[in-house]
Amino acid sequence: HQITTQGINGQASPNFRGWYANIAVPLIGGPRRWDGARAVWTRPRFKDLNTAEPDARGYAEFVARYSYVNLYDTPISGNSQAVTSLALNYYPLQRVRFSFEYANGNIRIPGPDRAFQAMAGRISFNW
C-alpha cells in the first residue's frame, strides 16, 4: 500500500510504502467466508457455547500477521518498522470475543535499532 500525505509549505507530498500478510486458521468451527461484494472476510458462523450440546463449542482461530512500513521519503527520515504477531481468538458466543496477542517488532532508526515485544488481551462485545 502507498500512504500519501499533504506537503507542507509548498514541498512535494511524501510517499510512504507498507504492506502486510495475514493468515487465520480455524481451530474450532469452519472457515470464514469471503464476501466479494464488500471485499471482506465475514465473521465466523458457529453454534454458541452450550455444554449440553457436544458440537456447540463456539469458534476459535489462530492468527499470524507480518507487517512492514517504510516511512522514509526525502526530506523525511521516518525510517522503517516490521512487526510479527501471533494471536488466538475465541468466540464463545456470536457477540463476544476473547483475543490474546503477542507481537515482536523491530524499528530501524539512525543509531542502534529498537526492538520491542508486546502482549495484549482484549474482550470485545458486538452489539
Side-chain angles (χ1 to χ4, degrees), residues 85-124:
S85 62
L86 304 173
L88 181 63
N89 295 321
Y90 177 60
Y91 297 77
L93 307 169
Q94 294 286 336
R95 299 191 176 276
V96 178
R97 177 178 73 162
F98 295 94
S99 183
F100 303 97
E101 181 177 356
Y102 167 76
N104 186 345
N106 187 31
I107 302 169
R108 296 191 185 279
I109 57 175
D113 291 347
R114 302 287 195 265
F116 66 89
Q117 296 183 36
M119 293 185 73
R122 176 174 68 186
I123 301 173
S124 304

Side-chain angles (χ1 to χ4, degrees), residues 51-103:
T51 56
E53 292 182 52
D55 65 337
R57 299 179 294 161
Y59 178 86
E61 67 185 354
F62 171 77
V63 181
R65 177 183 173 114
Y66 179 81
S67 64
Y68 175 82
V69 64
N70 183 344
L71 300 175
Y72 178 84
D73 188 19
T74 305
I76 298 171
S77 180
N79 305 296
S80 65
Q81 174 179 293
V83 179
T84 302
S85 62
L86 304 173
L88 181 63
N89 295 321
Y90 177 60
Y91 297 77
L93 307 169
Q94 294 286 336
R95 299 191 176 276
V96 178
R97 177 178 73 162
F98 295 94
S99 183
F100 303 97
E101 181 177 356
Y102 167 76

Side-chain angles (χ1 to χ4, degrees), residues 1-59:
H1 295 288
Q2 182 171 322
I3 305 163
T4 303
T5 62
Q6 186 174 4
I8 300 172
N9 297 329
Q11 295 179 350
S13 298
N15 291 310
F16 304 130
R17 300 198 183 275
W19 59 273
Y20 70 92
N22 191 74
I23 186 167
V25 179
L27 302 174
I28 299 173
R32 292 177 180 255
R33 294 182 183 93
W34 176 253
D35 181 347
R38 296 184 301 153
V40 298
W41 291 97
T42 62
R43 291 179 55 82
R45 293 188 181 172
F46 56 89
K47 290 185 178 181
D48 285 348
L49 179 64
N50 183 345
T51 56
E53 292 182 52
D55 65 337
R57 299 179 294 161
Y59 178 86

